Amino acid sequence: MRPWCSRLSCWRSAELSLPSPQDIQAQVRLALAEDLGTGDRTAALIPADARSRVRVVCREAAVVCGVAWFAEVFRQLDPGIVIDWFFRDGELIDADRLVCELNGNTRALLSGERTALNYLQTLSGTATLARQYADAVAGTGVRILDTRKTVPGLRLQQKYAVTCGGCHNHRIGLFDAVLIKENHIKAAGSVTAAVKRAQALASDIEIEVEVESLAELEEALAAGARRILLDNFTPELLRRAVKRADGQARLEASGGVSLETIREIAEAGVDDISVGALTKDVRAIDLSMRFIDL
């Protein structure tokens, strides 16, 4: 796959768009290999030339995401399978609505069912949760950011789903930005030492430093930090931090964030709030794929 840092600047002047067809093909190829192995022994019970029509229904209200991966699963198994879509990525769907219909080779439909639904239900779950967080801070001007707490192997897919839900991308990985955290600071010796070293080594990309107190905030500002993560600050401390920074740095709140607390955090005046739950605590959307008469 292409390195994403070649196309994206740090902390997103442009959000992560749908990966290229080549990237999606590679991702799906690995997912199918994991499930099929040497072949689908159960689908082999069905005559090789049998054809079927199936429907995918969403059993709960959701934000749809994962259409391209779902379709690619069946394209790789049998390019002759036809899919009629009734919703696109980013669109809201009510409970018990038809997502799509498929028509084609029965064996291929059976073999691809689980992998295709895994993509669609997981990415729709990520997008749906992101929409809930985005709605919770509507009108505040605060950006909700994802993190690197993603399902292994689904980093790019989940970060794309976050944008479909109306939230925003933090760094994609360790390669496209510097985020100086607690352990980096301890290893470097101080906030000042870590920031100065980063400025010397990584002047071409954005640098962010995590602080855990107002004293560390002062040190970070004095060191010239222009992006600061306020870790586990209470709403009162967030307000004091915003007042002290006074526009000198972009401030991001992190830690202790939930749907119940995020509005108060946003109203403290920070610029961004990062939420690991967007991709870490995702619950798959309830989808079902059922065969119907031709």
Side-chain angles (χ1 to χ4, degrees):
M1 288 186 228
R2 287 189 313 281
W4 286 90
C5 50
S6 65
R7 294 198 295 153
L8 296 173
S9 60
C10 324
W11 287 307
R12 316 289 78 84
S13 59
E15 296 298 336
L16 181 60
S17 59
L18 181 68
S20 74
Q22 294 77 22
D23 291 332
I24 293 173
Q25 288 167 18
Q27 292 159 357
V28 168
R29 193 174 299 116
L30 289 173
L32 283 173
E34 178 180 62
D35 202 30
L36 291 176
T38 57
D40 184 346
R41 294 177 178 271
T42 312
L45 302 174
I46 309 301
D49 60 350
R51 295 181 61 83
S52 297
R53 186 158 61 102
V54 300
R55 289 175 175 169
V56 176
V57 175
C58 188
R59 298 302 185 190
E60 58 184 305
V63 175
V64 173
C65 186
V67 165
W69 288 272
F70 182 99
E72 178 61 20
V73 167
F74 293 106
R75 190 199 68 78
Q76 290 191 20
L77 291 172
D78 184 349
I81 291 175
V82 175
I83 307 178
D84 293 318
W85 289 98
F86 303 104
F87 289 88
R88 297 178 296 177
D89 284 350
E91 291 185 334
L92 289 166
I93 184 171
D94 293 327
D96 299 319
R97 293 290 301 276
L98 185 62
V99 182
C100 65
E101 287 190 353
L102 302 90
N103 194 319
N105 181 268
T106 304
R107 284 188 180 183
L109 290 170
L110 289 167
S111 295
E113 175 184 357
R114 185 70 272 148
T115 299
L117 286 178
N118 281 349
Y119 273 121
L120 197 62
Q121 68 187 23
T122 302
L123 299 185
S124 294
T126 300
T128 301
L129 186 59
R131 180 65 60 87
Q132 293 171 0
Y133 273 93
D135 289 346
V137 299
T140 65
V142 172
R143 296 189 312 166
I144 305 301
L145 306 177
D146 57 22
T147 71
R148 288 169 46 243
K149 296 176 182 177
T150 52
V151 177
L154 291 181
R155 172 73 54 84
L156 300 181
Q157 296 94 315
Q158 282 194 286
K159 281 183 172 284
Y160 166 70
V162 164
T163 69
C164 288
C167 293
H168 302 269
N169 297 143
H170 211 286
R171 58 181 177 164
I172 301 301
L174 296 173
F175 55 85
D176 63 336
V178 172
L179 176 50
I180 304 166
K181 304 196 76 174
E182 177 187 8
N183 287 337
H184 300 102
I185 292 168
K186 287 183 177 179
S190 68
V191 169
T192 300
V195 170
K196 293 299 184 183
R197 183 65 171 159
Q199 290 168 340
L201 294 176
S203 60
D204 59 329
I205 60 176
E206 190 160 9
I207 298 168
E208 182 174 17
V209 59
E210 176 185 89
V211 301
E212 297 181 329
S213 66
L214 292 175
E216 287 189 344
L217 172 64
E218 290 280 1
E219 186 179 355
L221 291 170
R226 293 292 174 262
R227 188 178 179 99
I228 300 174
L229 187 154
L230 308 170
D231 184 43
N232 282 302
F233 277 43
T234 65
E236 172 57 29
L237 283 177
L238 288 173
R239 287 188 287 271
R240 291 172 63 184
V242 169
K243 183 176 180 180
R244 170 59 190 89
D246 192 28
Q248 289 180 250
R250 188 172 186 91
L251 299 182
E252 172 188 333
S254 183
V257 181
S258 66
L259 284 170
E260 291 69 37
T261 62
I262 197 166
R263 184 78 189 191
E264 184 179 13
I265 293 171
E267 290 175 346
V270 295
D271 302 291
D272 304 311
I273 304 173
S274 54
V275 183
L278 291 180
T279 53
K280 179 175 67 72
D281 299 339
V282 64
R283 180 186 64 81
I285 295 301
D286 186 5
L287 299 171
S288 66
M289 183 169 163
R290 293 289 182 266
F291 280 63
I292 57 178
D293 295 333
L294 283 171

